[in-house]
């Protein structure tokens, strides 16, 4: 939590200092008002004129007006500070994540990063604004009020102390009983969510197996437990409010009661009897506020910790200096490359050695977990090799300026990711200088021209978030067009043809081979049909290259390749191919 | 949808479409507890009255002191003690009653929420599957958790507070009048002032709360989009562009956030100020009366307390009304779900014969999810017992629809489907289901042990279970799990997609139903696992009439009947050779896939 405080800007620190000053003023005002009540009471005792009372009353109204102005000013400052801190932290976390490579992302998972950047920060904003007000006000008010009462009467102060003590015991006891249950409660809510989700996602299976009763029974069990737990926790919690109320009421009674004895002895003014209970309430409230803070701060700490974790994650992949203009002959060379995830003993890739010459098509195949995707992710430096070197155009990728390296590459990811906005915007993201003509050309190569023409607005058709308003195959073709339009030296397809039907897949590959034969192309594929015609096929198994060559060669000498091939196509089909 | 944190406050009020109807529905849940609620409310009322009286008595003590001082006599401490003891008792009783009332109301509201959840859970299984095509899982989920929560957390508050506030309001008015009439009117004069401040601030802050909600939505939307598209951001060096966009949105959010925070933050001090004004005026006027001798200091003291208590219910009014509205709106959503039309109950059903052979006949079947939009036209086919039917076609062509009709998940528009000559619409729905084993592409397993998942509803011995699992090639990896068959399957378990698929096949084997529905798609599985899965599937189909959503050439070639679907229509049917000869859609599909 404290670590996040360093994100306050100087002006915000100034505001905080100003807030503290204003709070002191506010407390002074709040605590002075009851003293004038004493004066009025005293005036009554002296049978003064109503004019004198009006005078005192006028001062009180003036003070109350000042007080409200000061409080509004405090509120103004704290609102700024809270929202400002949230803005700074949000920017910091977002910027940090934008700098992350896949390596750091994989440490967190995307959905967790999203929650950290949204909910957790909202949480912090709320608590900072509240804390600023309460955390500053409570101690000052408490101390101020205690000063006032100690001056007035030792005995009554003692009674107040006892009340505070009882109040704290009440809060602590309730918390001791309830806090451990909160975790259970959270779990029970999660369970409820889980079983409902399960019932809904398994709808068909449940009906097909006639197991509605079993599921309902399971739900009932969790639901009952949830209700009982809630009843218990809420019943204990609901002790708090009436309990606090009783303590305050009894304290007021004690003050009057004990006060009457003191007045009788002549050691206390009757006016103080009235003002004292107000001061005592201020003291009690300060303690209440503080104890509430102690309940809320730990919750904020969880959020703060999660945010800090993101900010504190070092960025491993840093840009270097070599810039290089695009040429028309991209070469790629893997020189004894190994890769392992941090803290993992096992290599995902082991001593990979190969070369792709300008204009060559190199394909990768292997079962899931064989390291195909990881391998091609090393080229745009989404990850860095742990051993060996990856060279693009003869230069180690680690020596490039990142944007310069990535500018050479047209990358088509496995999961098609398009931005909300027009198709034109998405293409311009890749190449800001693309002309209308170039766009249509790229779409044509990607087999997307026809359907884009049929969309309302053509290039200006607006894609929704996640591009849910076009089909999976269409998305993939758009994503391919985006890669083509930047005129890359190197094209990388990370299993990018899977959403296409066989016909389009084939058509696309033929056009690519014809139109872009100067571009070095890397393809990761699952279907033999997709990769069969590559210049070089590399077969991966458990991170190692177990075969390299053309389809014909591999069919002869690579057993794993044969196994994959036969599982997809029959013998005669393969031979006919 | 971008995630949005639930924001409560002056901006977060929802309105029900039909308040009265929803309220009535909610009331029907509360009704059984009416007696305990009345008891609770009676207690609140008594407790409130006791506190009001205690305040008055406390003032009397002060007055006694004042009179004693004025008349220069000793204070009657005995009298004060006896009053003090009574007041103390009142406070303790107030606490006890108040607590009992909380105790009762907590129980009532949780039981109401429990009952609603229970009914939703049962309703889920009663609705036709068609319903779920329109409504998302997230929506129903939020009804069970959030909406039911909103009801349980607001119900007791609303009922308690309405009565407590009313009793308090009336009580303080009566007490104030008994002390001093002109002073009471001063307090009344503050009501329009408070109302004016309240309304104007709430209006202003609502505007900014809405702005903040929108800005938050925009920021969170961008965060979500950029984070999920991270690979592309990197690959195309879009970091700068995205940051620039973010900064703009973030700034808008900042402005609306501090403004809404500021406006909602000044309600309390402003109301406090009005309270203070009342307090001062009461002190002044009271003081003047006291000097004249028509009022005692104790009266002023009690009156000040009443003034404060009088303001409380008024400032609570807006929070009660928004709680009430949120609650009724939440209840309306639950009510709508519970009142959805259920699947008709089977009547006049035929008993299933002991032995089902598995002849299936489709006669002139017409179907559309939307009755006006027919997607299967006049489909007829005849399948002999033990035959294998392959269903092929591009994604989205309606392969699952056909299978769902067979399972009676949907009602056909016209025509008939018979099994061994008996219409499935004359059978009990559960009987139809029990005829089929089913393996779907989405590998649904529930949170429970492996054993529970496999036996799911079937009665089978452990030995038999292991035997089948060995056949299905799952025994080996199940035993490698920590805990083996008793390992609890959760979302976090590292069970691979392929293993899950195998488990669902084993589950279908255990059910041992005479017919089979199978989805071959195994897109997330590597080729070697796929091989094993296919072997297991082949074993499963032996000797059973089976309907296979086919992706594998060998399955298609070996099928006794191939149904070719396109855009929801069955456009061709026949076996492999026949269809190739026909040189239609199937032939093109086949050729594009397996030739250069």
């Amino acid at each position: 939590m404290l670590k996040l405080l360093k994100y306050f800007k100087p002006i915000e620190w100034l505001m905080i200092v100003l807030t503290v000053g204003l709070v002191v003023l506010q407390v002074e005002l709040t605590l002075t008002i009851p003293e004038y009540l004493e004066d009025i009471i005293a005036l009554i005792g002296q049978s003064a004129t109503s004019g004198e009372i009006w005078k005192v009353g006028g001062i009180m109204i003036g003070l109350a007006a000042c007080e409200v102005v000061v409080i509004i000013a405090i509120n103004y400052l704290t609102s700024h500070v809270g929202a400002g801190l949230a803005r700074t932290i949000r920017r910091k976390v977002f910027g940090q994540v934008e700098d992350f490579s896949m390596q750091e992302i994989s440490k967190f998972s995307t959905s967790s990063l999203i929650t950290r950047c949204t909910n957790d920060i909202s949480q912090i904003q709320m608590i900072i604004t509240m804390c600023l007000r309460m955390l500053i006000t409570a101690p000052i008010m408490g101390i101020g009020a205690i000063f006032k009462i100690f001056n007035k009467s030792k005995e009554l102060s003692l009674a107040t102390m006892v009340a505070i003590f009882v109040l704290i015991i009440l809060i602590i006891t309730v918390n001791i009983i309830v806090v451990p249950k909160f975790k259970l409660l959270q779990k029970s809510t999660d369970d409820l969510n889980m079983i409902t989700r399960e019932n809904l996602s398994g709808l068909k299976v449940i009906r097909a197996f006639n197991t509605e009763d079993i599921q309902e029974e399971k739900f009932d069990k969790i639901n009952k437990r949830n209700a009982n737990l809630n009843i218990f926790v809420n019943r204990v919690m609901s002790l708090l409010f009436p309990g606090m109320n009783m303590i305050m009421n009894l304290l007021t009674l004690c003050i009057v009661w004990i006060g009457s004895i003191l007045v009788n002895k002549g050691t206390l003014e009757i006016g103080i009897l009235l003002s004292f209970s107000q001061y005592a309430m201020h003291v009690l409230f300060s303690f209440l506020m503080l104890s509430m803070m102690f309940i809320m701060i730990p919750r904020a700490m969880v959020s703060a910790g999660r945010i800090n974790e993101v900010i504190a994650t070092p960025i491993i992949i840093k840009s270097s200096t070599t810039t290089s203009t695009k040429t028309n002959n991209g070469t790629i060379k893997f020189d004894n490359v190994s890769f392992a995830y941090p803290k993992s003993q096992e290599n995902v890739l082991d001593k990979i050695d190969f070369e792709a010459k300008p204009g060559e098509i190199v394909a990768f195949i292997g079962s899931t977990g064989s390291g195909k995707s990881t391998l091609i992710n090393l080229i745009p430096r989404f990850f860095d090799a742990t051993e060996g070197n990856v060279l693009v155009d003869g230069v180690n990728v680690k020596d490039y300026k990142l944007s310069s390296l990535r500018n050479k590459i047209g990358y088509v990811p496995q999961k098609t990711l398009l931005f909300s906005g027009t198709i034109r915007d998405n293409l311009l993201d890749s190449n800001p200088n693309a002309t209308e003509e170039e766009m249509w050309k790229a779409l044509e190569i990607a087999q997307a021209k026809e359907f884009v023409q049929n969309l309302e607005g053509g290039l200006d058709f607006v894609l929704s978030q996640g591009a849910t308003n076009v089909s999976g195959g269409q998305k993939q073709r758009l994503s391919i067009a985006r890669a083509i339009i930047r005129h890359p030296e190197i094209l990388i397809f990370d299993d990018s043809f899977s959403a296409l039907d066989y016909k389009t897949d084939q058509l696309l590959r033929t056009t690519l081979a014809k139109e872009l034969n100067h571009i070095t192309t890397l393809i990761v594929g699952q279907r033999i049909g997709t990769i069969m015609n590559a210049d070089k096929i590399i077969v991966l198994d458990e991170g190692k290259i177990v075969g390299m060559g053309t389809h014909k060669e591999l069919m002869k000498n690579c057993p794993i390749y044969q196994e994959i091939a036969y599982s997809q196509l029959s013998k005669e089909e393969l031979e006919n191919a | 949808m971008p995630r949005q944190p639930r924001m409560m406050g002056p901006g977060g009020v929802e309105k029900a479409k039909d308040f009265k109807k929803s309220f009535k529905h909610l009331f029907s849940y509360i009704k059984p507890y009416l007696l305990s609620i009345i008891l609770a409310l009676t207690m609140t009322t008594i407790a409130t009255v006791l506190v009001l009286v205690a305040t008055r008595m406390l003032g009397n003590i002060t007055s006694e002191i004042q009179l004693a001082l004025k008349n220069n006599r000793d204070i009657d401490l005995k009298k004060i003690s006896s009053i003090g003891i009574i007041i103390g008792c009142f406070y303790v009783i107030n606490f006890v009653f108040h607590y009992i009332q909380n105790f009762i109301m907590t129980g009532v509201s949780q039981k109401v929420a429990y009952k609603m959840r229970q009914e939703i859970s049962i309703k889920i299984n009663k609705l036709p599957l068609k319903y779920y095509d329109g409504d998302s899982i997230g929506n129903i989920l939020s009804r069970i958790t959030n909406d039911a929560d909103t009801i349980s957390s607001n119900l007791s508050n609303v009922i308690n507070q309405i009565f407590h506030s009313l009793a308090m309001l009336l009580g303080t008015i009566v007490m104030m009048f008994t002390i001093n009439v002109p002073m009471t009117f001063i307090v009344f004069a503050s009501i329009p002032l408070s109302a004016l401040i309240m309304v104007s601030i709430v209006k202003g802050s609502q505007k900014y709360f809405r702005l903040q909600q929108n800005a938050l939505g925009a920021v969170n939307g961008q965060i979500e989009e950029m984070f999920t598209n991270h690979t592309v951001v990197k690959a195309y060096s879009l970091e700068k562009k995205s940051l620039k966009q973010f900064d703009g949105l973030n700034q808008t959010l900042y402005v609306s956030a501090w403004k809404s925070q500021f406006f909602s933050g000044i309600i309390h001090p402003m109301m406090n100020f009005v309270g203070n004004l009342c307090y001062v005026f009461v002190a002044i006027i009271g003081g003047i009366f006291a000097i004249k001798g028509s009022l005692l200091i104790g009266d002023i003291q009690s009156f000040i307390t009443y003034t404060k208590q009088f303001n409380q219910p008024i400032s609570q009014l807006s929070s009660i009304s928004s709680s009430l509205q949120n609650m009724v709106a939440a209840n309306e959503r639950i009510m709508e779900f519970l009142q959805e039309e259920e699947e008709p109950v089977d009547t006049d059903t035929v008993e299933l014969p002991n032995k089902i052979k598995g002849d299936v006949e489709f006669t002139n079947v017409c179907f559309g999810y939307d009755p006006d939009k027919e997607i299967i036209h006049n489909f007829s086919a005849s399948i002999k017992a033990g035959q294998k039917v392959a269903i092929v076609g591009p994604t989205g062509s309606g392969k699952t629809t056909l299978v769902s009709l067979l399972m009676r998940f949907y009602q056909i528009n016209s025509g008939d489907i018979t099994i061994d000559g008996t219409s499935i619409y004359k059978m009990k729905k559960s009987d139809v289901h029990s005829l089929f084993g089913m393996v779907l592409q989405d590998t649904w397993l529930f949170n429970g042990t492996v054993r529970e998942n496999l036996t799911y509803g079937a009665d089978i011995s452990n030995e038999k279970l292991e035997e089948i699992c060995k056949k299905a090639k799952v025994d080996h990896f199940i035993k490698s799990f920590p805990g083996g068959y008793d390992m609890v399957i959760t979302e976090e378990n590292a069970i691979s997609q392929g293993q899950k698929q195998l488990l669902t096949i084993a589950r279908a084997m255990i059910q041992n139903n005479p017919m089979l529905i199978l989805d071959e798609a195994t897109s997330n599985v590597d080729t070697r696992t796929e091989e094993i899965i296919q072997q297991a599937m082949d074993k499963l189909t032996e000797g059973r009439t089976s309907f296979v959503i086919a992706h594998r050439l060998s399955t298609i070639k070996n099928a006794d009947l191939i149904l070719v679907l396109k855009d929801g229509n069955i456009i061709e049917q026949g076996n492999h050779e026949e269809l190739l000869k026909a040189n239609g859609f199937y032939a093109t599909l086949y050729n594009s896939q397996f030739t250069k």
Side-chain angles (χ1 to χ4, degrees), chain A residues 75 80 87 90-91 98 100 193-194 198 207 210-211 215 218 220 223 235 368 411 420 429 573, chain B residues 99 114 127 145 225 230 234 236 241-242 247 251 254 262 430 433 446-447 456 526 553 590:
Chain A
N75 182 33
H80 263 286
R87 174 183 60 178
R90 198 178 286 121
R91 172 66 169 70
E98 290 290 78
F100 276 179
N193 265 327
M194 182 209 75
E198 187 178 293
R207 294 199 187 180
N210 295 327
T211 47
Q215 293 301 123
K218 277 202 275 184
D220 188 42
N223 193 14
R235 280 186 176 159
T368 31
Y411 177 84
S420 50
D429 275 347
E573 279 155 348
Chain B
Y99 184 67
Y114 164 80
L127 286 173
T145 49
E225 177 158 39
H230 194 72
K234 294 268 113 180
Y236 293 95
K241 185 186 159 198
S242 129
D247 283 343
Q251 180 64 21
Y254 162 72
F262 174 67
S430 55
H433 295 161
F446 59 85
N447 279 44
Y456 202 38
D526 65 80
L553 198 67
Y590 176 79

Side-chain angles (χ1 to χ4, degrees), chain A residues 37 41 44 48 50 53-54 57 61 64-65 67-68 71-72 75-76 79-80 83-84 87 90-91 94 97-100 105 110 113-114 117-118 125 129 192-194 196-198 201-205 207-212 215-216 218-220 223-224 226 230-231 234-235 238-239 242-243 246 249 253 256-257 260 263-264 273-274 278 367-368 382 406 411 417-420 429-430 465 482-483 486 502 506 563 567-569 573, chain B residues 58 61-62 65 74-75 77 80-81 84 88 91 95 99 102-103 106-107 110 114 117-118 121-122 124-125 127 129 132 137 141 144-145 219-221 223-232 234-239 241-243 246-247 250-251 253-254 257-258 261-262 265-266 269 273 276 279-280 284 287-288 290-291 297 343 404 407 409 430 433-434 438 444 446-447 456-457 507 511 526-528 531 553 588 590 593-594 596:
Chain A
L37 184 67
I41 305 285
I44 297 170
S50 54
I53 290 185
W54 273 110
I61 291 173
E67 188 197 7
V68 74
I71 294 180
I72 289 174
N75 182 33
Y76 177 83
S79 307
H80 263 286
R87 174 183 60 178
R90 198 178 286 121
R91 172 66 169 70
F94 185 79
V97 174
E98 290 290 78
D99 283 342
F100 276 179
I105 294 262
T110 307
L113 281 172
I114 293 173
C117 207
T118 53
Q125 174 179 348
T129 322
L192 206 58
N193 265 327
M194 182 209 75
T196 314
R197 200 182 287 276
E198 187 178 293
S201 61
L203 223 53
K204 280 191 181 171
V205 181
R207 294 199 187 180
F209 281 73
N210 295 327
T211 47
E212 289 94 339
Q215 293 301 123
E216 277 161 25
K218 277 202 275 184
F219 183 89
D220 188 42
N223 193 14
K224 219 171 245 156
N226 182 64
N230 258 314
I231 290 178
N234 282 315
R235 280 186 176 159
S238 62
L239 262 176
M246 181 175 66
N249 283 334
L253 172 64
V256 176
W257 199 339
S260 67
V263 174
N264 200 28
L273 209 60
L274 264 62
Q278 295 190 27
S367 56
T368 31
F382 291 159
R406 287 174 184 161
Y411 177 84
L417 307 165
L418 295 167
F419 292 100
S420 50
D429 275 347
S430 170
Q465 187 167 353
R482 177 173 61 187
R486 61 176 11 204
Y502 286 102
Q506 191 208 353
E563 197 182 312
S567 75
Q568 296 185 16
L569 309 170
E573 279 155 348
Chain B
L58 204 60
I61 296 182
T62 316
I65 300 170
D74 260 357
I75 297 169
L77 288 178
I80 290 179
S81 305
Y91 285 152
F95 164 74
Y99 184 67
N102 277 351
F103 191 90
T106 307
Q110 291 299 334
Y114 164 80
R117 291 196 173 109
Q118 202 60 26
S121 148
I122 292 170
I124 288 176
N125 290 327
L127 286 173
L129 271 178
Y132 299 96
I137 289 187
L141 205 58
I144 287 207
T145 49
V219 166
N220 290 355
I223 290 171
E224 191 159 324
E225 177 158 39
M226 288 305 148
F227 285 8
T228 38
N229 289 11
H230 194 72
T231 331
V232 177
K234 294 268 113 180
Y236 293 95
S237 306
L238 299 173
E239 294 95 335
K241 185 186 159 198
S242 129
L243 271 182
F246 181 81
D247 283 343
N250 197 12
Q251 180 64 21
L253 173 60
Y254 162 72
W258 83 252
Q261 195 72 253
F262 174 67
I266 59 177
F273 177 62
N276 267 335
Y279 164 74
V280 174
I284 295 171
I288 294 170
I291 291 170
I297 294 179
E343 231 171 357
S404 299
M407 290 291 277
F409 284 157
S430 55
H433 295 161
S434 69
M438 194 169 74
W444 185 82
F446 59 85
N447 279 44
Y456 202 38
R507 183 173 66 189
Q511 297 290 321
D526 65 80
T527 39
R528 286 165 110 182
E531 188 77 41
L553 198 67
T588 339
Y590 176 79
Q593 188 167 356
F594 301 109
K596 206 169 155 188

Side-chain angles (χ1 to χ4, degrees), chain A residues 340-493:
Chain A
Y341 284 103
K343 287 182 201 150
S344 147
Q345 303 271 306
E346 213 145 315
N347 272 349
V348 180
L349 292 172
D350 200 27
K351 301 201 173 68
I352 302 290
D353 240 328
F354 77 93
E355 204 178 340
K357 296 199 186 66
E360 253 185 356
I361 298 175
V362 180
F364 300 87
I365 196 159
S367 56
T368 31
S370 62
K372 298 168 300 202
S373 284
T374 315
L375 189 151
I376 54 163
N377 276 333
L378 295 179
I379 302 166
R381 275 192 86 195
F382 291 159
F383 297 99
D384 267 346
T386 32
E387 263 173 73
N389 293 318
V390 178
L391 306 168
V392 168
D393 292 345
V395 179
N396 191 328
V397 288
K398 291 181 189 170
D399 295 332
Y400 275 108
K401 192 173 168 204
L402 273 179
S403 57
S404 174
L405 170 70
R406 287 174 184 161
N407 212 17
K408 290 169 180 282
I409 300 168
Y411 177 84
V412 186
Q414 185 170 14
K415 232 175 88 197
T416 311
L417 307 165
L418 295 167
F419 292 100
S420 50
T422 62
I423 292 176
R424 187 191 303 275
D425 287 342
N426 270 286
L427 293 176
L428 286 175
D429 275 347
S430 170
N431 178 0
N433 306 318
T435 62
E436 181 107 9
E437 209 176 310
E438 282 178 295
M439 289 187 198
W440 285 114
K441 180 75 190 160
L443 289 171
E444 190 183 345
I445 297 174
Q447 307 298 318
K449 187 175 174 184
E450 200 182 323
F451 87 81
V452 173
Q453 273 171 339
N454 288 330
L455 288 174
E456 197 181 326
L459 283 174
D460 293 312
F461 178 78
V462 179
L463 299 168
S464 60
Q465 187 167 353
T468 42
N469 50 354
V470 291
S471 79
Q474 292 173 336
K475 266 197 281 191
Q476 210 149 45
R477 280 178 272 169
L478 288 176
S479 160
I480 291 168
R482 177 173 61 187
I484 295 171
I485 203 167
R486 61 176 11 204
H487 308 301
E489 293 170 29
I490 297 164
L491 262 175
I492 296 177
F493 296 102

Side-chain angles (χ1 to χ4, degrees), chain B residues 557-575:
Chain B
K557 278 185 165 171
N558 296 334
D560 299 296
L561 177 67
I562 304 172
L563 302 176
V564 186
L565 272 81
K566 196 184 174 219
D567 304 327
N569 297 321
I570 294 155
I571 53 167
E572 289 166 29
Q573 52 176 306
N575 64 26

Side-chain angles (χ1 to χ4, degrees), chain A residues 82 121-131 296, chain B residues 261:
Chain A
I121 291 178
S122 295
Q123 217 19 272
I124 294 274
Q125 174 179 348
M126 200 182 78
I127 287 183
I128 285 281
T129 322
M130 260 209 284
C131 274
M296 285 177 59
Chain B
Q261 195 72 253

Side-chain angles (χ1 to χ4, degrees), chain A residues 98-261:
Chain A
E98 290 290 78
D99 283 342
F100 276 179
S101 70
M102 304 307 140
Q103 202 145 331
E104 290 96 24
I105 294 262
S106 67
K107 196 178 129 187
F108 292 102
S109 95
T110 307
S111 64
S112 141
L113 281 172
I114 293 173
T115 341
R116 284 168 207 240
C117 207
T118 53
N119 289 358
D120 282 334
I121 291 178
S122 295
Q123 217 19 272
I124 294 274
Q125 174 179 348
M126 200 182 78
I127 287 183
I128 285 281
T129 322
M130 260 209 284
C131 274
L132 270 178
R133 261 179 245 166
M134 291 217 233
L135 209 55
I136 297 176
T137 314
I140 298 180
M141 179 68 89
I143 292 168
I146 287 172
F147 260 105
K148 295 268 180 195
I149 47 179
F150 260 105
N151 276 336
K152 299 206 153 105
S153 160
K154 298 269 172 322
E155 293 86 349
L156 295 183
S157 305
L158 193 70
T160 311
M161 294 299 143
V162 172
I164 291 172
F165 184 71
V166 177
L167 184 69
I168 290 175
I169 288 195
L170 174 70
I171 293 173
I172 290 178
T173 324
V174 168
N175 270 307
I176 285 178
I177 302 174
V178 160
V179 169
K181 299 278 175 192
F182 274 143
K183 252 197 185 142
L184 285 178
L185 206 58
Q186 185 57 48
K187 183 162 180 306
S188 144
T189 313
D190 290 347
D191 283 350
L192 206 58
N193 265 327
M194 182 209 75
I195 180 82
T196 314
R197 200 182 287 276
E198 187 178 293
N199 283 345
L200 289 168
S201 61
L203 223 53
K204 280 191 181 171
V205 181
I206 291 168
R207 294 199 187 180
F209 281 73
N210 295 327
T211 47
E212 289 94 339
D213 295 346
I214 298 183
Q215 293 301 123
E216 277 161 25
E217 227 167 81
K218 277 202 275 184
F219 183 89
D220 188 42
K221 219 170 100 196
I222 292 173
N223 193 14
K224 219 171 245 156
R225 202 180 54 206
N226 182 64
N228 286 336
L229 205 57
N230 258 314
I231 290 178
F232 175 80
V233 168
N234 282 315
R235 280 186 176 159
V236 177
M237 289 284 281
S238 62
L239 262 176
L240 268 181
F241 188 69
M244 282 171 352
N245 226 337
M246 181 175 66
I247 292 170
M248 287 185 194
N249 283 334
L250 287 178
L251 176 62
T252 323
L253 172 64
C254 283
I255 289 171
V256 176
W257 199 339
I258 298 168
S260 67
I261 299 168

Side-chain angles (χ1 to χ4, degrees), chain B residues 320-381:
Chain B
I320 294 176
S321 100
S322 67
S323 297
L324 183 67
Q325 289 192 25
N326 280 333
M327 181 173 79
V328 174
N331 180 68
E332 187 170 52
R333 282 191 293 271
I334 293 179
M335 176 185 77
E336 279 169 0
F337 183 73
L338 289 178
Q339 289 175 354
E340 283 291 337
E341 200 179 325
E342 291 180 10
E343 231 171 357
V345 183
D346 302 316
T347 46
D348 296 333
T349 51
V350 180
E351 279 294 310
L352 271 191
N354 276 342
K355 185 95 176 86
I356 288 283
K357 284 195 309 189
D359 290 328
V360 179
E361 184 97 31
F362 290 82
T363 9
N364 305 324
V365 172
C366 295
F367 171 75
Y369 289 100
D370 195 340
D372 308 326
K373 244 172 87 185
E374 202 177 83
I375 54 170
I376 289 179
H377 321 283
N378 228 10
F379 166 61
S380 298

